[in-house]
Amino acid sequence: MKPIKVGLLGLGTVGTGVVRIVEGHQEDLSSQVGSPIVIERIAVKSLDKQRTISIDSSKLTDNPLDVIRDPEIDVIIEVMGGITGTKEYILEALDRGKHIVTANKDLMALHGSEILAKAQEKQCDVFYEASVAGGIPIIRTLIEGFSSDRIMKIMGIVNGTTNFILTKMSQEGASYEAVLSEAQELGYAESDPTSDVEGLDAARKMAILGTLGFRTNVELEDVSVQGISNVTKEDIQYAKQLGYEMKLLGIADRQDDQLSISVQPTMVKNTHPIASVHGVFNAVYVYGEAVGETMFYGAGAGEMPTATSIVADLVAVVKNLKLGVNGLKAIVPYKLKKLKTEEEIAFKNFILLQVADKAGVLAQITQVFAEFDVSLASVVQTPNEQHTDAEIIIVTHDASQANMNKVLKHFEGLDVIHRVKSVYRVEG
Amino acid sequence: MKPIKVGLLGLGTVGTGVVRIVEGHQEDLSSQVGSPIVIERIAVKSLDKQRTISIDSSKLTDNPLDVIRDPEIDVIIEVMGGITGTKEYILEALDRGKHIVTANKDLMALHGSEILAKAQEKQCDVFYEASVAGGIPIIRTLIEGFSSDRIMKIMGIVNGTTNFILTKMSQEGASYEAVLSEAQELGYAESDPTSDVEGLDAARKMAILGTLGFRTNVELEDVSVQGISNVTKEDIQYAKQLGYEMKLLGIADRQDDQLSISVQPTMVKNTHPIASVHGVFNAVYVYGEAVGETMFYGAGAGEMPTATSIVADLVAVVKNLKLGVNGLKAIVPYKLKKLKTEEEIAFKNFILLQVADKAGVLAQITQVFAEFDVSLASVVQTPNEQHTDAEIIIVTHDASQANMNKVLKHFEGLDVIHRVKSVYRVEG
């Protein structure tokens, strides 16, 4: 059988994993698709770099265009990352009728709709399973597994770095700064961790999941984002006392056709399945109107898990190629997007206040919540024997974001409130 | 657009759910497949039965052949259950070029290979996502999501009834008999619960998962089966003390290409993700050589979760129909099956012994394990102030089943052992 020829853009960790799987599982793969799969050309940054796998040097080039313009190549696997430049390579490859498999969440979150439109025009496949939650086949699950259902809510732990940090803080009572340093030493966090810890990486993935789950075009700017850099060990201790785990959750939900998509540190009831996802693991919880609760758990990153998803996409492309149906099953968002306003977005809140320790304070504070129509689930004042400031912990029922903002604004003018120490979303 | 016409065999709980989804989500579905989907004819047991949905009575027939032989119908959804009769209906439908979606695990476990061979001959789709773990899209995950990986182990909680019983026994310290009665009252267990509690239902599902995961023809008789009817509340208490949860686990594993598939009550380390799957929920844990640990969690049964999977399969069939590629992506087992022998199957064991309470007993017992090459992880003798019988709890390291059987055989001849109270597989 004539082999299927693949071009690889990038030979870092994940690219190396792809080569390992395609070569190591060749028999399994060719049994599935009916012909050998050959990695024909590979674009690398440096031709001279020492590598952990042996590669015929004639396959290497430092010019991605050599790969994209090779007429023998049917499929391009993009694992070089980046946005500018990479986008143009992918668009040119599509123009030349080549199918794309990519792990590039940044590119898909920012330019997914343009790339998918070009793919449709050229009847090419663009698959990107590896862009969200590395080893978990969540994208094909949203597209195919739940095609008949109406997905109402997606909650994801989609960033391993922040989950590692929060897990360690919770299990060891350590501070954010201490655990971040440790994560950097272990290679779980980058030297500039901003994209992870400020929630940007998670936001990109939630834009992709929201688009697929709700079949509308969720863009990065539709996602409200808050990171974990202000989470204190005190917050996590309070969370545990109340029966919650602190997690950086991406949450996409809808009521009727009104959407909201956000990423924020969230206190999750410890009986919820996603509360027990620890360390660098990822999980995506999906609530469907008909199917109810489901959750998908696995490695979020890493050479081999990510490479597995990429090669599974490659197998799907090659099967389509043999059947002559590439580009025909792509999901194209078809619903008009309606984002919820601050009045419509509602959830439970945890609020930690530092207040004057004197009679009547609690009455003044609860009065403010009542005034703005926020009803309370629990109010606890911590015992304070020194008669310095006291702390009050409040958990609300579902309250609109608009009303909560009014409450917090009003707190600024209240003398008895010395500081609003923390405010967190609560789930489950 | 010309509508796609579907015939439904069976209108019980799940069939009703299918009608609800196809009618309720019509807009969503037709946007995905490009034409309306119409349930054209429905075979029912009784034409006069009161139903919870309103159905045009002209669509109903009490003769399945009216549905199968209707030339207008493209796809048959089979939710009538049963094996004899049903199998013939499905084979005839395939002969007539109709595609099949079924939830029938019994049929697929027993006659899957014959049905899939006929489907391939006729270039028809046979999809059966709903046959295992109702709402969890585990079959498409094994076929597509992990197509590039080598799956080494599948562990499943694939029977909700037994998981409900074991969860209740664990959480409430109740006896098997008491919880079974409660489950029967709640409708979670049938009046004859044998198929569930003796592990037969789980075994059928594991035959299906093993076939897909290992790409070889796992038959029901290849699955060794033990149910939960002998699990005592004492066993569960001991399990908890040692940090385990008792679960009825289906386990399919391989080393190189040697397989073993079994269903048995298993003590699972409580830090393992599958240990926290409670109540009627199902979960399938998959360990892939490259992807590592993954787990898929959701409702195992119920009208709407099961119907969701069926309609997702229907969408896939209709997409293939539009593309003209039905029957071409079916997975056909292609590996020779090699089952592990008793010498090759190895796992950890928990053993609870009732022994004479006198000096030297422990030495005699540990000597037996040593003789048959079974090494021990822990031995605990429970304190016994009455100087009647004592209890000894042993956890082994991985030991071959053959050696373990020799140990247990040898115990029969040892006077100091008054009873082997329990033996369980241990995982995690």
Side-chain angles (χ1 to χ4, degrees):
Chain A
M1 283 294 244
K2 186 169 159 285
I4 300 293
K5 294 188 176 169
V6 176
L8 188 58
L9 302 182
L11 191 58
T13 331
V14 175
T16 305
V18 169
V19 176
R20 277 191 223 279
I21 293 180
V22 170
E23 292 182 351
H25 294 187
Q26 187 58 234
E27 188 201 350
D28 262 14
L29 296 176
S30 57
S31 307
Q32 286 180 67
V33 300
S35 42
I37 295 179
V38 174
I39 296 185
E40 181 79 2
R41 296 224 77 184
I42 306 175
V44 295
K45 260 194 227 141
S46 156
L47 292 169
D48 308 322
K49 192 178 152 189
Q50 287 288 333
R51 308 199 176 270
T52 55
I53 42 171
S54 74
I55 301 232
D56 179 352
S57 66
S58 70
K59 293 189 171 183
L60 300 182
T61 165
D62 53 8
N63 183 0
L65 294 176
D66 290 345
V67 181
I68 292 163
R69 295 180 181 168
D70 183 331
E72 293 283 298
I73 285 175
D74 308 294
V75 188
I76 299 285
I77 296 177
E78 185 272 304
V79 286
M80 60 195 283
I83 297 171
T84 332
T86 311
K87 180 187 156 196
E88 285 66 36
Y89 292 138
I90 286 188
L91 290 174
E92 178 172 342
L94 286 168
D95 260 328
R96 292 169 182 272
K98 298 187 196 308
H99 311 289
I100 308 289
V101 176
T102 175
N104 196 327
K105 64 182 170 296
D106 305 332
L107 189 62
M108 292 309 293
L110 290 168
H111 303 291
S113 55
E114 182 182 350
I115 289 169
L116 294 172
K118 168 71 80 178
Q120 207 181 22
E121 177 199 331
K122 296 289 174 180
Q123 296 221 341
C124 287
D125 284 335
V126 173
F127 287 171
Y128 49 102
E129 183 67 78
S131 67
V132 181
I136 309 173
I138 184 64
I139 290 182
R140 58 172 40 81
T141 299
L142 289 177
I143 296 178
E144 294 174 20
F146 296 136
S147 59
S148 69
D149 203 355
R150 193 169 286 142
I151 292 171
M152 304 309 289
K153 189 167 192 170
I154 301 173
M155 297 206 292
I157 293 177
V158 289
N159 179 274
T161 305
T162 47
N163 203 44
F164 174 84
I165 293 173
L166 293 173
T167 302
K168 276 265 179 182
M169 286 176 72
S170 170
Q171 289 175 350
E172 296 172 7
S175 74
Y176 170 75
E177 293 75 16
V179 180
L180 175 59
S181 303
E182 190 188 341
Q184 286 170 321
E185 278 163 32
L186 289 168
Y188 290 155
E190 313 212 13
S191 53
D192 175 1
T194 314
S195 165
D196 290 322
V197 299
E198 296 308 341
L200 309 175
D201 173 83
R204 290 181 184 134
K205 293 164 179 168
M206 290 309 297
I208 295 173
L209 294 182
T211 297
L212 295 170
F214 300 147
R215 299 166 199 279
T216 188
N217 226 331
V218 175
E219 312 207 46
L220 194 49
E221 68 215 45
D222 301 330
V223 186
S224 76
V225 188
Q226 187 197 335
I228 65 163
S229 55
N230 292 322
V231 175
T232 66
K233 61 183 177 182
E234 187 190 19
D235 293 335
I236 291 186
Q237 289 314 311
Y238 276 125
K240 287 178 88 152
Q241 283 171 27
L242 293 168
Y244 295 99
E245 286 286 336
M246 185 77 78
K247 296 289 176 194
L248 182 69
L249 280 198
I251 303 180
D253 67 5
R254 73 164 153 191
Q255 271 154 331
D256 306 317
D257 276 326
Q258 306 279 99
L259 312 182
S260 76
I261 306 100
S262 63
V263 170
Q264 65 280 302
T266 304
M267 286 168 44
V268 188
K269 195 80 196 159
N270 58 18
T271 49
H272 192 285
I274 211 164
S276 55
V277 175
H278 298 309
V280 295
F281 276 93
N282 279 200
V284 181
Y285 168 94
V286 179
Y287 188 90
E289 198 175 67
V291 79
E293 294 191 280
T294 62
M295 194 175 85
F296 307 91
Y297 166 95
E303 171 182 328
M304 297 311 277
T306 310
T308 303
S309 284
I310 290 171
V311 182
D313 275 352
L314 175 62
V315 167
V317 170
V318 175
K319 283 184 180 173
N320 286 346
L321 200 58
K322 296 252 162 173
L323 299 171
V325 296
N326 299 95
L328 296 180
K329 273 195 181 184
I331 188 163
V332 178
Y334 58 84
K335 279 192 203 288
L336 203 67
K337 181 171 63 187
K338 286 176 263 174
L339 292 174
K340 285 187 194 170
T341 62
E342 279 201 342
E343 282 72 29
E344 290 163 333
I345 297 174
F347 47 79
K348 300 187 190 76
N349 293 268
F350 164 100
I351 304 132
L352 176 59
L353 301 175
Q354 183 181 332
V355 301
D357 187 23
K358 57 182 184 187
V361 170
L362 211 53
Q364 277 190 62
I365 291 171
T366 51
Q367 177 54 32
V368 177
F369 284 100
E371 189 177 330
F372 296 107
D373 218 19
V374 175
S375 77
L376 304 182
S378 69
V379 180
V380 177
Q381 179 156 358
T382 58
N384 173 19
E385 278 149 26
Q386 285 82 46
H387 295 287
T388 53
D389 278 0
E391 289 194 332
I392 293 180
I393 300 158
I394 296 160
V395 180
T396 73
H397 289 299
D398 279 349
S400 81
Q401 226 170 21
N403 286 349
M404 268 304 298
N405 288 343
K406 286 178 201 158
V407 167
L408 294 172
K409 182 80 191 154
H410 203 87
F411 279 175
E412 290 172 13
L414 267 195
D415 286 347
V416 296
I417 295 184
H418 296 168
R419 203 173 138 217
V420 177
K421 294 183 82 173
S422 311
V423 180
Y424 292 109
R425 182 167 179 158
V426 174
E427 283 289 327
Chain B
M1 283 294 244
K2 187 170 158 284
I4 300 294
K5 295 190 175 167
V6 176
L8 187 59
L9 302 181
L11 190 58
T13 331
V14 175
T16 305
V18 169
V19 176
R20 276 191 225 280
I21 292 180
V22 170
E23 292 181 352
H25 294 189
Q26 187 58 233
E27 188 201 351
D28 262 15
L29 296 175
S30 57
S31 306
Q32 287 180 67
V33 301
S35 43
I37 296 179
V38 174
I39 297 185
E40 180 79 3
R41 296 225 76 183
I42 306 175
V44 296
K45 259 194 227 141
S46 157
L47 291 170
D48 308 322
K49 193 178 151 188
Q50 285 288 333
R51 308 199 176 269
T52 56
I53 44 172
S54 74
I55 301 232
D56 178 353
S57 66
S58 70
K59 293 189 170 183
L60 300 183
T61 166
D62 55 7
N63 183 1
L65 293 177
D66 290 344
V67 181
I68 292 163
R69 296 180 179 166
D70 183 331
E72 293 283 300
I73 286 175
D74 308 294
V75 188
I76 300 286
I77 295 177
E78 184 272 304
V79 286
M80 60 196 280
I83 298 170
T84 331
T86 311
K87 178 186 160 198
E88 285 67 36
Y89 291 138
I90 286 188
L91 290 174
E92 177 172 343
L94 287 169
D95 260 328
R96 292 170 182 270
K98 298 186 196 306
H99 311 289
I100 308 289
V101 176
T102 175
N104 196 327
K105 62 184 173 296
D106 305 333
L107 189 63
M108 291 309 294
L110 290 168
H111 303 292
S113 55
E114 181 181 350
I115 289 168
L116 293 172
K118 169 70 80 177
Q120 207 180 23
E121 176 198 330
K122 296 290 176 179
Q123 296 220 341
C124 286
D125 284 335
V126 173
F127 288 171
Y128 49 101
E129 183 66 78
S131 67
V132 181
I136 309 172
I138 185 64
I139 290 181
R140 74 178 17 91
T141 299
L142 289 176
I143 295 178
E144 294 174 18
F146 296 137
S147 60
S148 69
D149 202 355
R150 194 168 285 141
I151 292 171
M152 303 309 288
K153 189 167 192 170
I154 300 173
M155 297 206 294
I157 293 178
V158 289
N159 179 275
T161 305
T162 47
N163 204 44
F164 174 84
I165 293 173
L166 292 173
T167 301
K168 275 266 178 182
M169 286 176 73
S170 171
Q171 288 175 351
E172 297 173 7
S175 73
Y176 169 76
E177 292 75 14
V179 180
L180 174 59
S181 302
E182 190 187 341
Q184 286 170 321
E185 280 162 32
L186 289 168
Y188 290 156
E190 313 212 14
S191 53
D192 175 2
T194 314
S195 164
D196 291 322
V197 301
E198 296 307 341
L200 309 175
D201 173 83
R204 289 180 183 136
K205 293 164 179 169
M206 290 310 297
I208 295 172
L209 294 182
T211 297
L212 295 169
F214 300 147
R215 297 164 200 282
T216 188
N217 225 331
V218 175
E219 312 207 46
L220 194 51
E221 67 214 44
D222 301 328
V223 186
S224 76
V225 187
Q226 188 197 334
I228 65 162
S229 55
N230 293 322
V231 175
T232 66
K233 61 182 177 182
E234 185 191 20
D235 293 335
I236 289 186
Q237 289 313 311
Y238 276 125
K240 287 179 89 151
Q241 281 171 29
L242 294 168
Y244 296 99
E245 285 286 336
M246 185 77 77
K247 295 290 176 194
L248 182 69
L249 278 198
I251 303 180
D253 67 5
R254 72 165 153 190
Q255 271 154 333
D256 305 319
D257 277 326
Q258 306 279 99
L259 312 181
S260 76
I261 306 100
S262 63
V263 169
Q264 65 281 300
T266 304
M267 286 168 43
V268 188
K269 195 81 194 157
N270 58 18
T271 49
H272 192 286
I274 210 164
S276 55
V277 176
H278 299 309
V280 294
F281 276 94
N282 280 200
V284 180
Y285 168 95
V286 179
Y287 188 90
E289 198 174 66
V291 79
E293 293 191 281
T294 62
M295 194 174 85
F296 308 90
Y297 167 95
E303 170 183 328
M304 297 311 277
T306 309
T308 303
S309 284
I310 289 172
V311 182
D313 275 353
L314 175 62
V315 167
V317 170
V318 175
K319 282 184 179 173
N320 286 346
L321 200 56
K322 296 251 160 172
L323 298 171
V325 296
N326 299 95
L328 297 179
K329 274 196 180 184
I331 189 163
V332 179
Y334 59 84
K335 280 193 201 289
L336 203 68
K337 181 171 63 188
K338 286 176 264 176
L339 292 174
K340 286 187 193 170
T341 62
E342 279 201 342
E343 282 71 29
E344 290 162 332
I345 297 174
F347 47 79
K348 300 188 191 74
N349 292 269
F350 163 101
I351 304 132
L352 175 60
L353 300 175
Q354 183 180 333
V355 302
D357 186 22
K358 55 182 183 184
V361 170
L362 211 51
Q364 277 189 64
I365 290 171
T366 52
Q367 176 55 33
V368 177
F369 284 101
E371 188 178 331
F372 296 108
D373 219 17
V374 175
S375 77
L376 304 183
S378 69
V379 181
V380 176
Q381 180 156 0
T382 57
N384 173 16
E385 276 149 27
Q386 285 82 45
H387 295 287
T388 53
D389 278 0
E391 290 195 332
I392 293 180
I393 300 158
I394 296 161
V395 179
T396 73
H397 288 299
D398 278 349
S400 81
Q401 223 169 24
N403 286 348
M404 269 303 299
N405 288 343
K406 284 179 201 157
V407 167
L408 294 172
K409 181 83 193 154
H410 203 87
F411 279 175
E412 290 172 12
L414 267 194
D415 286 347
V416 296
I417 295 183
H418 295 169
R419 204 174 137 215
V420 177
K421 292 184 83 173
S422 311
V423 181
Y424 290 109
R425 181 167 180 159
V426 174
E427 282 290 326

